């Protein structure tokens, strides 16, 4: 039986490993292996749909952003690196991207 779950190894704010839709036995194996490398392991239930990051201060929602998977569409001319550089130069992406 598959479990709809995500298992994250937390390294600052970035996931360094992710498992989805695994059996209970495989989840336990992965969890025990992860404990060898990290003190902070997060297991979440999986809910299909968009991924949002929200900032709540007190009882107020301050900011929300939909997190979309990164992608580029090739044009047959530029390299993937060049396409990524072009997308990252978009000022709508904010600082640090």
């Amino acid at each position: 039986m598959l479990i709809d779950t995500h298992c994250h190894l937390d390294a600052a704010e970035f996931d360094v490993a992710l498992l989805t839709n695994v059996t209970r036995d495989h989840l336990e194996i992965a969890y025990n292996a992860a404990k060898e490398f990290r003190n902070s392991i997060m297991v979440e239930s999986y809910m299909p749909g968009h991924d949002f990051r929200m900032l709540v201060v007190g009882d107020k929602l301050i900011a929300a952003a939909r997190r979309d998977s990164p992608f580029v569409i090739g044009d047959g001319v530029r390299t993937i690196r060049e396409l990524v550089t072009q997308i990252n130069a978009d000022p709508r992406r904010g600082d640090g991207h």
Side-chain angles (χ1 to χ4, degrees):
M1 178 176 149
L2 293 178
I3 301 171
D4 287 336
T5 187
H6 283 160
C7 180
H8 303 267
L9 302 183
D10 186 20
E13 61 194 54
F14 299 101
D15 301 326
V16 294
L18 174 66
L19 303 172
T20 59
N21 299 325
V22 296
T23 65
R24 176 101 182 152
D25 289 341
H26 286 138
L27 179 61
E28 288 180 15
I29 291 167
Y31 182 85
N32 289 328
K35 286 193 312 188
E36 299 292 321
F37 300 97
R38 295 280 190 271
N39 292 327
S40 176
I41 301 166
M42 178 172 53
V43 178
E44 302 175 318
S45 295
Y46 173 72
M47 295 175 50
H50 295 291
D51 182 12
F52 292 91
R53 180 158 286 178
M54 298 179 204
L55 173 63
V56 177
V57 177
D59 62 352
K60 295 187 180 193
L61 176 64
I62 304 300
R66 190 173 85 185
R67 300 175 64 198
D68 294 324
S69 298
F71 70 94
V72 294
I73 298 173
D75 61 7
V77 177
R78 291 175 287 178
T79 66
I80 292 174
R81 184 179 306 267
E82 291 169 330
L83 293 167
V84 169
T85 299
Q86 177 187 7
I87 287 175
N88 287 341
D90 187 333
R92 295 174 295 177
R93 298 225 353 119
D95 294 329
H97 293 284

